[in-house]
Amino acid sequence: MAVTIKSPREIELMRKAGEILAATHEELRKALRPGMSTLDIDRLGEKIIRSYGCIPSFKNYNGYPASICVSVNDEVVHGIPNRHRILKEGDIVSLDAGVIYQGYHSDAARTWAIGEVSPEAKQLMEVTKQSFFEGIKFAKAGYHLNDISTAIQSYAESFGYGVVRDLVGHGIGTHLHEDPEVPNFAMKRKGILLRPGMTLAIEPMINMGRPEVVWMDDDWTVVTEDGSLSAHYENTVLITEGEPEILSLLKEDK
Ligand code: MF3
Ligand code: CO
């Protein structure tokens, strides 16, 4: 499938999808507390998404059984919500969510602390988020995809962290996953030339230790091979002539 350029009408719909997703993440953040199960988060997230008239895009996607991916501590992504998995003080939890608004997708992830977490965990979360912002310094017309990938990797690795190789970001629009793939690590080729109207889900997944990951027996949950903590930060981003527009951020964070 070719990389698509979105029309002004499509961009408007993706803006709306992004706004709703940002609001969903904000509501989930406020609800998080020790004692909550990961299934509680999924139920609340689905309710919020539907209250905006959106469809949770992950539900039943390739058989994924929930609306929100909830990944705790050494879980990297795609954790399956479970009523027996209870959050406790000191955990870090990655929430990944996707919405469809009038046929258009937005996809975003955040990693939050449950109560007080270790300074090391805090740094991992901050660096993962910042690696996204380092990457999007190059999310502008005229740069190539690999400029984004390289910037994310160099920043995260400068802290000694492992950048996950087995999962990547992606184009997004009328489908959750469109071309191109957006790696968080440098490739040997420069990748596509970025053009205004392209929409990308850029999503660094960063491990405190080694980059290797393994899949659990549920065929979804991805965990770090060495058991180290992992963080995830993702937004849906529009390429423009100038600064990129981060569609899935709250207005006050833009
Ligand atoms: N942000 C993830 C991705 O882009 C979410 C997909 S999870 C799934 O791949 F459940 F929908 F598969
Ligand atoms: Co994604």
Side-chain angles (χ1 to χ4, degrees):
M1 192 177 90
V3 178
T4 58
I5 302 291
K6 272 70 180 183
S7 71
R9 176 193 149 266
E10 293 181 292
I11 290 169
E12 209 33 68
L13 294 173
M14 290 189 70
R15 247 185 216 123
K16 188 72 193 160
E19 256 170 51
I20 291 167
L21 183 53
T24 300
H25 269 298
E26 183 61 7
E27 287 188 51
L28 287 174
R29 181 183 72 76
K30 288 180 181 157
L32 286 179
R33 48 185 48 81
M36 212 176 176
S37 76
T38 58
L39 186 64
D40 293 334
I41 298 172
D42 177 59
R43 293 223 169 111
L44 177 60
E46 176 164 357
K47 198 175 101 188
I48 298 166
I49 291 167
R50 294 197 190 278
S51 77
Y52 286 106
C54 287
I55 298 167
S57 54
F58 297 174
K59 193 128 195 194
N60 302 320
Y61 183 85
N62 291 147
Y64 183 75
S67 298
I68 315 286
C69 298
V70 185
S71 309
V72 185
N73 295 335
D74 64 324
E75 295 171 357
V76 179
V77 288
H78 304 168
I80 298 181
N82 184 308
R83 70 191 175 92
H84 301 295
R85 185 77 194 263
I86 308 295
L87 296 180
K88 57 177 196 311
E89 173 104 15
D91 284 342
I92 63 170
V93 59
S94 300
L95 305 183
D96 191 353
V99 305
I100 310 173
Y101 176 76
Q102 295 188 15
Y104 284 82
H105 287 252
S106 194
D107 183 6
R110 308 280 183 259
T111 301
W112 304 116
I114 303 301
E116 267 307 303
V117 300
S118 69
E120 292 78 16
K122 234 178 238 171
Q123 180 184 277
L124 175 70
M125 294 189 293
E126 280 162 14
V127 169
T128 301
K129 179 175 179 181
Q130 188 55 34
S131 72
F132 164 88
F133 286 96
E134 294 298 319
I136 66 160
K137 289 179 180 170
F138 300 92
K140 287 179 195 169
Y143 286 107
H144 290 81
L145 197 59
N146 197 44
D147 297 323
I148 300 176
S149 305
T150 305
I152 293 172
Q153 178 181 24
S154 347
Y155 185 76
E157 287 186 349
S158 74
F159 291 83
Y161 295 151
V163 176
V164 173
R165 304 293 200 280
D166 290 356
L167 298 138
V168 295
H170 48 94
I172 181 166
T174 52
H175 300 270
L176 173 60
H177 294 138
E178 299 185 355
D179 280 343
E181 289 196 346
V182 184
N184 302 301
F185 45 89
M187 305 290 284
K188 288 189 177 118
R189 57 181 79 190
K190 58 187 178 175
I192 59 159
L193 176 66
L194 299 175
R195 295 175 195 280
M198 289 180 175
T199 44
L200 305 174
I202 301 175
E203 53 178 316
M205 288 153 271
I206 309 293
N207 301 343
M208 198 177 278
R210 302 276 317 154
E212 289 80 13
V213 298
V214 290
W215 269 257
M216 305 270 282
D217 286 338
D218 63 18
D219 280 342
W220 278 105
T221 313
V222 180
V223 297
T224 59
E225 190 171 60
D226 63 8
S228 66
L229 294 179
S230 187
H232 185 199
Y233 186 84
E234 172 181 29
N235 280 306
T236 301
V237 176
L238 169 69
I239 308 296
T240 73
E241 288 290 354
E243 293 303 312
E245 187 178 333
I246 308 174
L247 300 176
S248 51
L249 268 192
L250 287 175
K251 278 205 181 76
E252 59 257 40
D253 294 336
K254 280 192 188 176

